[in-house]
Each structure stands twice: as C-alpha cells, then as structure tokens.
Amino acid sequence: MKLLYEGKAKRLYETERPDELLMEFKDDATAFNGEKKAQFENKGRMNQALSLLLMQLLEKGGVPTHFVRTIDEIRTIVKAVEIIKVEVVVRNVAAGSLCNRTWFKEGEALKAPVVEYFLKDDDLGDPMINDDHIRELNLATLHELAFLKSEALKINDILKPFFLKTGLKLVDFKLEFGRLSTDPSTIILADEISPDTCRLWDVSTGEKMDKDRFRRDLGNVMESYAEVLKRAEDAVHS
Ligand code: TMP
Ligand code: ASP
C-alpha cells in the first residue's frame, strides 16, 4: 500500500477506496517538536485502543469522527479527510504552554474552558494563532472556526465527566479536524485522542498519567498509559 503521510506518531496509507485511508499507530514518541525522541513498546497499540474507545463514546454523544473500522491492534480504516491545519486545544486546568505564556501556575483551575488555536506546522514549531490569523491564512472560514470551537467544547463536555468517572482529571487536550474528501462542507474529528494528546492527572494523587511523563522524564510512561486505558475500558464496561 502506498504511504501517503508519515507523522511523528502515525502513518497514513492509501486504500483501494478513494474515500478511505488506513491509519497506523507507531510506537515512536517525540516531544519539543521532535527534539526529544524515544520508542515505547505497545504505545501504538494502547493509543489506538484508547483513541477508538473515546471516538466511539463521542460518536454516541453526537460528534462525528473519522473512524470507520478496526483492522488490527495498530491499524484502522478512517474516512479520508483534508486536515485543517489548526490544532484546537481545550484547557480546563492551567498547565504546559499556558503557564509558560501567562501568569497561570500549573494546576490552577480555569473558571470556564479556554480554547486555543495553534498552526499545524512543524517547521514553525506550531505557533499559537487567533481567529483573525486563521481567516487571513485561509485555514478555515469563520463559520468553520465557530463549528470547530463548539465541537471542541462539546467534546470536552463528554470527555471531562467520562475521565472523572475513571478517577482522572482532564487537564487539557488537542484536537484535529478534517473536511471529508467526498464532501468538504462536512467537518469531522480526525487524528487521535490519547495520553499523547491529552493531559490527565489522577484525581486523588495528582500524579501525571500522560505524555508529560516522557516530556519531563518522570518514568513509568507506558505503565501510566496502560493504567489510563484500563480505567477507561472498565468505565465503558461498567
Ligand atoms: P501545550 O500546553 O504544550 O500547549 O499542550 C496543550 C495540549 O496539547 C496538551 O494536552 C498536549 C497537547 N499537545 C499535542 O497533542 N501535540 C503537541 O504538539 C503539543 C505541543 C501539545
Ligand atoms: N508532539 C510534539 C512533538 O513532537 C510535541 C509534544 O507533544 O510535546 O514534538
């Protein structure tokens, strides 16, 4: 199969159908725009499993996603989309770059969710952009951007209580959306939702259970990913 795109954590291949792609999760982990690299056995498998579980939960909640069907533990068929080059971040608690850019201290609760946009461009280090930049760069229309924001907040309204049920605080997360190749006026959730793209803290201990364990050399990276997956699986089956 023809490789169409290789990102830091996934590969996308063509399929025999023009409206479908094959998405493959890799075991690679990167941080700080690829400056720090490692491989973690089973990361791809665990991220696919959690991402699928969450996307199925979102579909039930009325959020259309790119997921079509599973091929195996690291491969799924997804709808072909043109990715909108805006990374949408939703924050419930201050952490990460928000604390580096502002007066917020890590762990400070936000009164209401904060939505931020970043330009999806590795060469530029994914800089933060605003709605005017998005319009002027023709990344999305203001109508589409309003949809991205309301969809991101709806996703937060579904995921935040779900993770709370598992004893995890959803601190923040990053989403990517795409326009259907068969109907570009339809925008769906694409990419992944996993401990690579979310911050998740244990409610009782405050322990970080996400990629910050790798970014900050906290150890037990895959043990935490496995624990997040197990808790999420227990919660959907309960
Ligand atoms: P930030 O605090 O570094 O801006 O990250 C916000 C959220 O976005 C956090 O949950 C991690 C996620 N994220 C990605 O998924 N990919 C990225 O490249 C970056 C920088 C953050
Ligand atoms: N995914 C980004 C990178 O590789 C950044 C991050 O998640 O920290 O470098």
Side-chain angles (χ1 to χ4, degrees), residues 49-206:
L50 184 66
S51 195
L52 279 188
L53 179 155
L54 296 175
M55 289 213 181
Q56 280 162 345
L57 193 74
L58 292 173
E59 290 271 1
K60 274 194 211 144
V63 175
T65 77
H66 69 165
F67 174 65
V68 178
R69 65 179 181 280
T70 305
I71 299 288
D72 61 24
E73 286 190 316
I74 56 162
R75 294 179 193 90
T76 54
I77 298 291
V78 296
K79 290 180 185 162
V81 295
E82 178 217 348
I83 288 286
I84 296 173
K85 294 202 171 298
V86 177
E87 300 191 351
V88 182
V89 167
V90 181
R91 302 179 185 273
N92 296 304
V93 175
S97 72
L98 178 63
C99 300
N100 301 332
R101 274 183 278 116
T102 66
W103 295 327
F104 285 110
K105 295 274 171 289
E106 185 179 86
E108 249 180 87
L110 302 167
K111 290 191 283 292
V114 168
V115 178
E116 294 173 347
Y117 308 112
F118 295 86
L119 177 64
K120 187 175 160 63
D121 184 325
D122 285 342
D123 294 340
L124 295 176
D126 297 348
M128 190 161 85
I129 51 175
N130 68 21
D131 45 355
D132 290 335
H133 300 135
I134 291 170
R135 182 198 66 233
E136 291 300 320
L137 290 166
N138 295 316
L139 298 169
T141 65
L142 291 183
H143 178 74
E144 287 176 326
L145 186 59
F147 177 76
L148 298 189
K149 183 171 183 179
S150 71
E151 209 68 348
L153 290 171
K154 185 166 159 187
I155 291 167
N156 189 44
D157 285 342
I158 296 170
L159 295 188
K160 196 176 142 186
F162 173 75
F163 276 118
L164 205 54
K165 221 168 56 165
T166 76
L168 292 167
K169 193 189 280 187
L170 180 59
V171 171
D172 56 35
F173 57 97
K174 184 264 299 180
L175 302 169
E176 292 182 27
F177 295 88
R179 298 181 189 91
L180 272 185
S181 66
T182 50
D183 171 19
S185 67
T186 300
I187 292 177
I188 61 173
L189 180 67
D191 193 51
E192 66 176 286
I193 310 176
S194 72
D196 274 9
T197 63
C198 299
R199 285 196 175 91
L200 297 160
W201 295 352
D202 185 88
V203 170
S204 44
T205 65

Side-chain angles (χ1 to χ4, degrees), residues 46 195 221-231 233:
M46 289 197 283
V221 181
M222 280 309 102
E223 288 80 354
S224 295
Y225 279 47
E227 174 68 19
V228 170
L229 177 59
K230 184 183 169 297
R231 290 192 199 185
E233 283 174 343

